[in-house]
Amino acid sequence: MSAAAVSGRAGFGRQLAVALRFALREMRGGLKGFYIFLACIALGTAAIAGVNSLSQSITGAIEGQGRELLAGDIRFEIDNREATQEERAFLDTLGTVSVNSGLRSMARLPDGSNQALVELKSVDDAYPLYGKVETTPPAETVQALVGSRDGGFGAVAAPLLLDRLGLKTGDVLMLGKARLVISAALDREPDAVSDGFGFAPRLMISREALAASGLVQTGSLVEHTYKIRLRPGESAAEARRLAEEKFPAAGWSIRTSSNAAPALTANVTRFSQFLTLVGLTALIVGGVGVANAVRAYIDSKRAVIATFKCLGAPASVVLMIYLIQILAIALIGIAIGLVLGAIIPYAAAQFLAGTLPVPEGFSLYPGALGLAALFGITTALAFAILPLGRARRIPATALFREQGLDGFRLPPWRYLTAAVLLLVLLCGLAIFTAYDRRISTIFLAAVAGSFVVLRLVAFGVAWLARRSPAIASTPLRLAIGNIHRPGALTPSVVLSLGLGLTLLVTIALIDGNLRRQLTGSLAERAPNFFFVDIQGSEVEGFRTLLSEALPEGKIIEVPMLRGRIIAFNGVDVASLNVPPAGQWVLRGDRGITYAKNLPENSTLAEGSWWPADYSGEPLVSFSEQEGRELGLKIGDTVTVNVLGRNITAKIANFRTVEWESLSINFVMVFSPNTFAGAPHAWLATIIDPTATAPQEAEALRRITNAYPTITSVRVKDALDIVNQLVAQLATAIRAAASVALAASVLVLAGALAAGNRARIHDAVILKTLGATRQTLIRAFSYEYAILGASTAIFALAAGGVAAWFVVSQIMELPSTFLPDVALTTLLVALVMTVGIGLIGTWRVLGQKAGPVLREP
């Protein structure tokens, strides 16, 4: 190694030691001027750490409690049929088997005066294999509660069902043809999460009671699950492999305890991704505060920097001194954020316990905390390096002349390059760690575009202020001058508020449009009822009775089967890389039908419909959007498993389906000859916008009493449940968005604090020249109001476009701009800018003239 290299390394080491010594010496005075910096970094880091820690805690609990959540080591689900003797014999070889059956049905009072939809679950003597069913009053076994009773069978009901029907323990309930006696209230079932979300309260009965009810008939929509506690030494993965190898056409869905609730896990991951992006937005907004804080701090150290340079300190040493300080303060903020983020899962668990699987006690999630720390330090450096680079270019003479950082050219190219690389790293981290990278990319592109547009908005407002005509009002003239003068607050205020308000507007408009759809136009256009499990022999009588009950209603009936897509073009779907948007089509069984003619609520998008008397190879019509998401085209083949048989059909056409109408719609409609002779039930709806609540209740009572095995779903009740879920999600999302808004408020406060030095000088000069405090207050109020209104206009425009894209393009629902959201946003912006601005400048107006005018 050359002597020059050794000397260079030694020189750098000495410079670093000197810089570290001076940096620590300057920091002895405290963190004054960096409180906003600390808060911004801590807030964004806490949001990302908390969201990801909570997500990992839930998914980890699902994995750790997999056996209890699944109530078995491995689970086989078959829809619409029970396992054959050969299949059951194979399952018995694996270990202890517990058989459950689930379906939706109507439970009614013995006199037929009231009824309710229930999520029915029949269990056998072995249930549950893992975990425990908790009831009131408690019992040692489920069988003690659901076994035979005098004149009927026992049943365990969810408290909600008891409340709806006014029942208590010991009362009688009718289910189909079976008489049930309520033996206990259901508090908790171990496998509720893995069984999936239900639109109705749970009713648990025995297998014998289900058989006596007569609900399981040809074509009934029943899910039969076989949960197995494996023999010692047996592997769930090996059992799954053997099952798929021996029974390739069984059509069963197999799930192991390591993946007990895949839908819940996926939804938690998606939701946490969105909240992480919101937290990242807060961190990026806070980055503006970081830049402002660094800029103001460097500006306050002008004399110190000038002294360093005059005494011969290299610019690199000066840079290292303040870079060390900024890194130290950033690490303090990150540490605060990580502590808060680590606490969030524990606090949230107190509210989520009983609803979602959460771990007991306090746990740390190093991966989530490490990711948040990486986001925090990258953001701090990305936004701090440019003010440091600009300070390096300032000569000592300029610093002694009390010139700030304004008016000097851009920092050296290596600082610009470093800032760009750090921002690219930040975006890369967000995209690489995302569940759906496409959405993350769009989100980050939107944030970057918003930054650019906000800078243009700030420039435009300053340009208009500069070219505004002379105004007689002194306060207004002063306000306009403050907007466009050198060192104006315009860019900082517009940037700090713009992203936070835009995010709030977007979420508020999406939430408002969803609620409007659920409670307004969608509820008005939706059918009154869905009727499921109508047997072929019941169709005529059902139609007559329903027409008498609701004579103005339009009845639509279609045949319905259940099938699982297992292959496209002969390739197993499990081996395909399916985009997230299309995965729901392949998850579990799908309702399918056949039809001679094109369904009336669909339009042909591509291809041609088959003749009414078609008798060739099986054909299928696929929903256009879902088909495109799955990469299908006309002529491709789809293999579905129906009732244990694999049926392959060629795609003849694509249909545009109006899913938002809530009418009877199917992803796949087959040619009639495909299922010739196959047993199936019917599905029906009735649409009568004029029907009153008493008329609907009477129609439901008559149908339930005449056909107790037909399941009736009142659409308005289902919409109410969905509306409650939307409200809960919206609350969580708004809480996350408020973090971004809080970051905006901090940045706004920091920007105003950074400008106070110039404001004090201006206010003293104006007061010396005769300006009153009232004049200055009005001038500042006008300035903040103009900036707030400008930012609100941008937020409304950008948020409106973003909400329209999400609602109309992703959710495919009608999107409407909501004036109340616009008014609320404008008021929030004005209150924040004027209120915080005046609070920050009140001290400015009280400054005495003497000390300020005597400053050098």
Side-chain angles (χ1 to χ4, degrees), residues 735-786:
S738 66
V739 174
L741 188 62
S744 297
V745 173
L746 287 172
V747 176
L748 175 63
L752 294 172
N756 274 350
R757 181 174 182 176
R759 293 285 166 128
I760 291 173
H761 188 269
D762 292 347
V764 166
I765 295 296
L766 290 171
K767 286 168 67 176
T768 303
L769 295 175
T772 63
R773 175 171 292 194
Q774 181 181 6
T775 300
L776 295 178
I777 290 176
R778 288 175 61 192
F780 289 143
S781 298
Y782 289 152
E783 177 188 356
Y784 300 140
I786 293 171

Side-chain angles (χ1 to χ4, degrees), residues 604 606-610 614 617-622 633-638 649-655 669 671:
L604 208 60
E606 183 181 352
S608 58
W609 197 261
W610 45 80
Y614 178 77
E617 67 173 314
L619 299 177
V620 63
S621 173
F622 217 92
K633 60 184 183 300
I634 300 294
D636 286 349
T637 61
V638 178
K650 185 173 70 174
I651 297 178
N653 58 72
F654 288 114
R655 305 176 336 277
V669 178
S671 56

Side-chain angles (χ1 to χ4, degrees), residues 252-500:
W252 48 26
S253 171
I254 307 174
R255 195 186 306 169
T256 64
S257 58
S258 62
N259 189 28
L264 176 61
T265 301
N267 288 331
V268 168
T269 304
R270 290 191 189 98
F271 193 59
S272 66
Q273 175 194 339
F274 175 78
L275 296 183
T276 298
L277 290 175
V278 173
L280 181 59
T281 303
L283 201 54
I284 293 174
V285 171
V288 179
V290 168
N292 288 340
V294 173
R295 179 180 178 279
Y297 182 70
I298 295 296
D299 193 49
S300 68
K301 295 292 182 179
R302 289 176 301 183
V304 177
I305 295 173
T307 303
F308 278 140
K309 288 189 174 184
C310 288
L311 293 176
S316 58
V317 171
V318 175
L319 179 68
M320 279 193 286
I321 290 172
Y322 295 103
L323 181 59
I324 289 170
Q325 293 182 21
I326 289 164
L327 283 174
I329 294 168
L331 291 175
I332 294 172
I334 290 170
I336 295 171
L338 293 180
V339 171
L340 294 174
I343 295 172
I344 287 174
Y346 179 74
Q350 312 308 311
F351 299 96
L352 296 176
T355 304
L356 292 174
V358 291
E360 296 180 0
F362 181 79
S363 300
L364 288 176
Y365 301 91
L369 299 180
L371 180 65
L374 190 55
F375 273 121
I377 195 67
T378 306
T379 302
L381 287 175
F383 285 89
I385 200 164
L386 289 182
L388 287 172
R390 293 184 69 189
R392 177 174 179 145
R393 282 193 178 273
I394 303 175
T397 53
L399 291 169
F400 278 126
R401 287 197 299 269
E402 290 291 310
Q403 287 180 250
L405 301 183
D406 296 309
F408 289 92
R409 60 186 186 276
L410 290 173
W413 65 268
R414 57 182 177 274
Y415 293 92
L416 289 173
T417 302
V420 170
L421 289 176
L422 286 167
L423 289 173
V424 169
L425 175 61
L426 193 64
C427 295
L429 281 173
I431 295 171
F432 180 75
T433 58
Y435 177 82
D436 189 330
R437 295 178 180 178
R438 183 181 67 89
I439 291 179
S440 295
T441 303
I442 293 173
F443 186 92
L444 291 170
V447 172
S450 297
F451 259 96
V452 173
V453 175
L454 283 168
R455 293 293 295 181
L456 294 176
V457 169
F459 175 80
V461 171
W463 184 86
L464 290 174
R466 191 177 298 111
R467 283 158 179 76
S468 64
I471 297 174
S473 170
T474 299
L476 186 56
R477 189 167 64 251
L478 288 172
I480 293 174
N482 285 339
I483 289 173
H484 67 78
R485 70 175 188 174
L489 297 176
T490 305
S492 298
V493 171
V494 172
L495 268 177
S496 61
L497 274 183
L499 281 178

